[in-house]
Amino acid sequence: MKWRKGTFMAHNAIELHSLGYSVHRKPFFNLQKSVSSLLLLRLQVKGNCRVSLNGRPYEVGPGDLIFSKPSETYQLTVDASPGKESADYYLFCEGEWIARWLAQGGFPDCVRIEVNDDILSLWRRLIDEKRNLREDNSELMDYLLKALCLTLERSIRRRAGHDASSDLYMPYRIKRYVEQHATEPLTLEEIAKQHGISVSSASHLFKKTFKLSIIRYAVEVRLAVAVERILHTELPLEHISESCGFRSYPYFCRAFRSRYRIPPSQYRTDHRASHA
């Protein structure tokens, strides 16, 4: 991993000094160092390595997120080879917003998170924008950096909640599952089985947390997807109904009218006319 000079000054007192995607295919070792004002975020995505923070060793594998906080010493050792590579995303940053975020978060030095597309796409977008030297993209990078930090924090909180109490975290797992699979055929039995609990427990925990049933939430997600397709595609309404997971077109029309007070055909006509 290279430490590069050059900074980006955000409009809200954030400096992104360097970031990138690092791949090691041979052994690597860096001298122990301390950067007085910088935060290092390092997410291992492939292979393994060893990290020392203030002399405390950590065995790091895929999904492990390192927080090397300002003034802490950091050392990285990678035992890689062409057939056993190690890869990570990293960034160095500082500023008032970063300092507040760290102070409020109380983050551990090393924590295992769920590596998902939300996190990786934000990190990749930041890397792309960093390479863009022809446009003033400082404000965009500011928002992207904050979004990445807050998305990492959400992943940490969810993992901590899952580890501490399955009942506390379970409704959020179910919610995310429904959001990811809402346009597919869904049953309470399938959802409960996927999460290793009974139908009654799944229904009770979800309704207690979100004040509506799982099936009702699935319908809400399906309707939101349908609205996007109604407004931004030329697909027939019957096709939209089927592709969004509704079991029949009449049921789709009833659910749509109940939610938006007008039928889907009128919704398409009215909203397109207002933007003409």
Side-chain angles (χ1 to χ4, degrees):
M1 181 172 62
K2 297 180 179 179
W3 295 55
R4 298 180 301 196
K5 294 183 179 180
T7 65
F8 146 68
M9 184 60 151
H11 78 282
N12 192 24
I14 296 180
E15 291 183 56
L16 181 56
H17 287 249
S18 67
L19 78 161
Y21 176 69
S22 178
V23 180
H24 298 280
R25 296 186 177 91
K26 57 184 180 180
F28 174 87
F29 173 79
N30 75 304
L31 296 175
Q32 185 165 289
K33 58 182 66 179
S34 172
V35 182
S36 60
S37 60
L38 299 185
L39 165 69
L40 163 64
L41 294 177
R42 183 185 183 280
L43 177 63
Q44 188 79 11
V45 293
K46 187 176 182 180
N48 298 277
C49 67
R50 297 190 302 278
V51 167
S52 175
L53 295 174
N54 280 339
R56 183 176 181 181
Y58 294 92
E59 295 291 332
V60 177
D64 284 331
L65 176 66
I66 294 293
F67 282 81
S68 181
K69 304 175 184 71
S71 300
E72 292 185 344
T73 59
Y74 168 77
Q75 189 174 57
L76 171 66
T77 304
V78 182
D79 299 322
S81 64
K84 187 181 177 183
E85 65 183 26
S86 171
D88 63 271
Y89 287 90
Y90 68 91
L91 65 85
F92 294 88
C93 59
E94 65 177 319
E96 295 177 8
W97 188 91
I98 293 296
R100 292 196 303 270
W101 179 64
L102 280 177
Q104 295 169 2
F107 304 114
D109 292 338
C110 180
V111 60
R112 178 66 57 89
I113 65 172
E114 177 190 355
V115 180
N116 55 43
D117 289 340
D118 292 342
I119 292 170
L120 296 183
S121 62
L122 284 168
W123 220 310
R124 290 168 184 151
R125 182 69 187 277
L126 270 171
I127 293 172
D128 290 342
E129 291 297 335
K130 178 76 164 131
R131 295 169 179 164
N132 181 0
L133 303 178
R134 296 190 177 184
E135 296 180 277
D136 179 9
N137 58 359
S138 60
E139 186 172 2
L140 175 59
M141 290 191 69
D142 178 32
Y143 287 120
L144 287 171
L145 178 55
K146 289 179 180 178
L148 175 59
C149 290
L150 295 173
T151 304
L152 289 170
E153 179 180 353
R154 173 188 286 176
S155 184
I156 293 169
R157 302 296 182 210
R158 284 177 171 174
R159 184 61 182 258
H162 184 207
D163 292 342
S165 170
S166 59
D167 282 356
L168 178 64
Y169 183 68
M170 186 60 69
Y172 297 93
R173 290 180 61 196
I174 295 173
K175 180 174 179 287
R176 183 170 180 82
Y177 183 85
V178 170
E179 291 166 351
Q180 292 174 334
H181 300 276
T183 58
E184 306 167 12
L186 280 178
T187 65
L188 288 176
E189 289 76 14
E190 176 194 350
I191 294 170
K193 183 178 179 181
Q194 285 289 333
H195 294 85
I197 59 176
S198 67
V199 170
S200 60
S201 293
S203 300
H204 171 73
L205 290 170
F206 193 91
K207 191 162 188 177
K208 179 181 177 181
T209 303
F210 301 111
K211 312 306 179 188
L212 77 169
S213 70
I214 296 174
I215 296 303
R216 182 63 224 173
Y217 183 67
V219 170
E220 291 289 329
V221 175
R222 288 168 178 165
L223 287 172
V225 175
V227 164
E228 289 298 311
R229 295 177 182 177
I230 287 170
L231 295 181
H232 303 297
T233 76
E234 299 297 331
L235 292 171
L237 294 176
E238 291 84 354
H239 181 85
I240 290 174
S241 167
E242 182 180 357
S243 68
C244 290
F246 289 94
R247 62 177 180 264
S248 71
Y249 183 62
Y251 174 64
F252 166 63
C253 291
R254 289 196 301 272
F256 195 98
R257 184 189 288 270
S258 175
R259 175 68 175 82
Y260 298 103
R261 305 302 179 192
I262 55 176
S265 56
Q266 185 179 341
Y267 189 94
R268 172 177 268 175
T269 301
D270 291 352
H271 282 76
R272 288 192 172 182
S274 66
H275 289 87

